[in-house]
């Protein structure tokens, strides 16, 4: 049993917990503007983001998104990615940071707790966001880099049990008292992580996590500022009409909802 002198950690998931969007998708427009992705890839990113923001992502969807993004970033220069994310941070990410998350992070600091961002997003995207928040400890997915270029190979992917295992390793290295520590997340895929600590908190939880949190008596919090809006991409930038984008988005989301309903009906 850890002593009260052991340090306390506050582990924060990133997407839809600290920021009202997905870090992976948020920079899509900027990658397009800088010629790093095609218009079709930008549209695909937008549609995936729309479904993610409205419905969330299952474990299987996360794997599909991971594979698609790995293919997309293959051959990118680390220098270019860093330049784009750094230069556009205040326009893309800063407005999407929940004020409630900022206040909570500061409250933990005042209590002497270490704040750590733990995310399935790639460390190359998480690092500048952590810097914006004044957080110097991150545990994130990792992408192989060879001679300053992203190969597209994911060397560490923090999802589900892998994220929980990453926390165990981090705790073993830093000596945190897990029973007194905190963890925050919006997704049921992070239940293994939340179960590790004595103070798990579901933030803007998806349906499965909300149900689990209520059954376990966990704290459930709702962050509202800013609102997690889904901004329409510039029609000129993606090269098609805004009405087409809206229509395709509606079909994509409706299709996802229908698939979920059918799956639920079959399991009933």
């Amino acid at each position: 049993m850890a002593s009260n002198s052991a340090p306390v950690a506050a582990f924060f998931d990133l997407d839809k917990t600290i920021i009202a969007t997905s870090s992976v998708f948020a920079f899509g427009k900027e990658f397009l503007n800088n010629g790093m992705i095609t218009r079709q890839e930008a549209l695909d990113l937008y549609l995936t983001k729309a479904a993610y923001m409205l419905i969330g992502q299952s474990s299987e969807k996360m794997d599909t998104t991971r594979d698609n993004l790995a293919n997309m970033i293959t051959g990118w220069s680390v220098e270019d990615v860093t330049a784009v994310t750094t230069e556009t941070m205040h326009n893309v990410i800063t407005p999407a940071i929940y004020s409630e998350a900022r206040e909570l992070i500061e409250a933990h600091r005042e209590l002497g707790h270490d704040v750590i961002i733990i995310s399935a997003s790639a460390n190359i995207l998480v690092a500048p966001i952590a810097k914006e928040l004044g957080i110097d400890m991150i545990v994130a997915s990792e992408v192989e880099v060879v001679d300053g270029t992203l190969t597209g190979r994911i060397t560490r992917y923090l999802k589900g049990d892998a994220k929980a295992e990453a926390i165990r390793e981090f705790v073993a290295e830093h000596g945190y008292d897990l029973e007194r520590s905190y963890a925050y997340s919006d997704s049921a895929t992070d239940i293994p992580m939340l179960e590790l600590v004595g103070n798990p908190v579901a933030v803007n939880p998806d349906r499965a996590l909300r149900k689990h949190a209520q059954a376990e008596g966990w704290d459930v919090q709702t962050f509202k500022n800013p609102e997690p809006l889904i901004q329409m991409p510039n029609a000129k930038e993606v090269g098609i009409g805004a009405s087409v984008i809206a229509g395709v988005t509606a079909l994509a989301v409706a299709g996802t909802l229908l698939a979920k309903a059918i799956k639920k009906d079959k399991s009933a």
Side-chain angles (χ1 to χ4, degrees):
M1 182 175 179
S3 69
N4 287 340
S5 61
V8 173
F11 295 97
F12 282 82
D13 174 50
L14 180 60
D15 300 343
K16 295 173 72 174
T17 301
I18 291 179
I19 59 176
T21 184
S22 161
S23 52
V24 172
F25 305 136
F27 290 109
K29 178 180 176 181
E30 305 306 328
F31 291 144
L32 172 65
N33 292 342
N34 284 271
M36 298 171 70
I37 60 176
T38 65
R39 289 176 175 177
Q40 182 59 53
E41 287 172 330
L43 180 58
D44 290 343
L45 276 179
Y46 169 74
L47 295 177
T48 304
K49 175 185 176 181
Y52 168 71
M53 295 302 297
L54 291 172
I55 304 167
Q57 279 196 321
S58 64
S59 178
E60 294 77 12
K61 278 285 187 182
M62 287 183 69
D63 289 343
T64 299
T65 300
R66 173 203 60 196
D67 294 341
N68 291 340
L69 290 172
N71 290 331
M72 185 182 73
I73 67 173
T74 299
W76 283 10
S77 161
V78 172
E79 183 178 357
D80 289 344
V81 175
T82 302
V84 169
T85 55
T86 301
E87 292 170 6
T88 63
M89 172 64 60
H90 292 291
N91 294 328
V92 175
I93 296 295
T94 302
I97 297 174
Y98 285 117
S99 60
E100 297 94 335
R102 281 190 184 274
E103 292 168 2
L104 194 54
I105 288 169
E106 186 56 35
H108 277 293
R109 287 191 178 119
E110 291 178 357
L111 290 171
H113 301 166
D114 286 348
V115 178
I116 303 101
I117 291 179
I118 180 157
S119 176
S121 295
N123 52 3
I124 196 171
L125 297 179
V126 177
I129 300 173
K131 183 178 180 180
E132 166 70 13
L133 291 163
I135 296 173
D136 56 12
M137 288 188 284
I138 66 172
V139 183
S141 295
E142 298 174 2
V143 183
E144 182 180 59
V145 177
V146 175
D147 296 329
T149 300
L150 299 174
T151 68
R153 189 170 79 87
I154 310 296
T155 57
R156 189 187 199 193
Y157 183 47
L158 300 189
K159 182 197 75 171
D161 291 333
K163 185 180 280 191
E165 182 57 32
I167 286 184
R168 290 191 189 94
E169 294 173 359
F170 196 81
V171 168
E173 180 181 351
H174 295 274
Y176 293 117
D177 181 350
L178 276 177
E179 186 58 34
R180 294 167 56 226
S181 291
Y182 298 75
Y184 300 86
S185 179
D186 69 289
S187 174
T189 60
D190 283 339
I191 287 175
M193 171 186 87
L194 293 167
E195 289 178 333
L196 285 179
V197 300
N199 300 287
V201 182
V203 176
N204 297 340
D206 58 29
R207 182 179 299 179
L209 177 56
R210 181 178 294 277
K211 181 178 180 180
H212 186 87
Q214 290 173 339
E216 295 294 327
W218 294 353
D219 187 18
V220 176
Q221 296 189 21
T222 301
F223 292 173
K224 296 181 178 180
N225 186 23
E227 289 289 337
L229 301 177
I230 303 173
Q231 295 183 345
M232 294 293 290
N234 184 297
K236 182 178 180 181
E237 290 173 330
V238 296
I240 59 178
S243 61
V244 175
I245 294 175
V248 174
T249 300
L251 288 173
V253 173
T256 304
L257 288 170
L258 179 60
K260 284 197 168 191
I262 293 173
K263 183 177 180 181
K264 182 178 180 181
D265 183 63
K266 286 183 176 180
S267 63

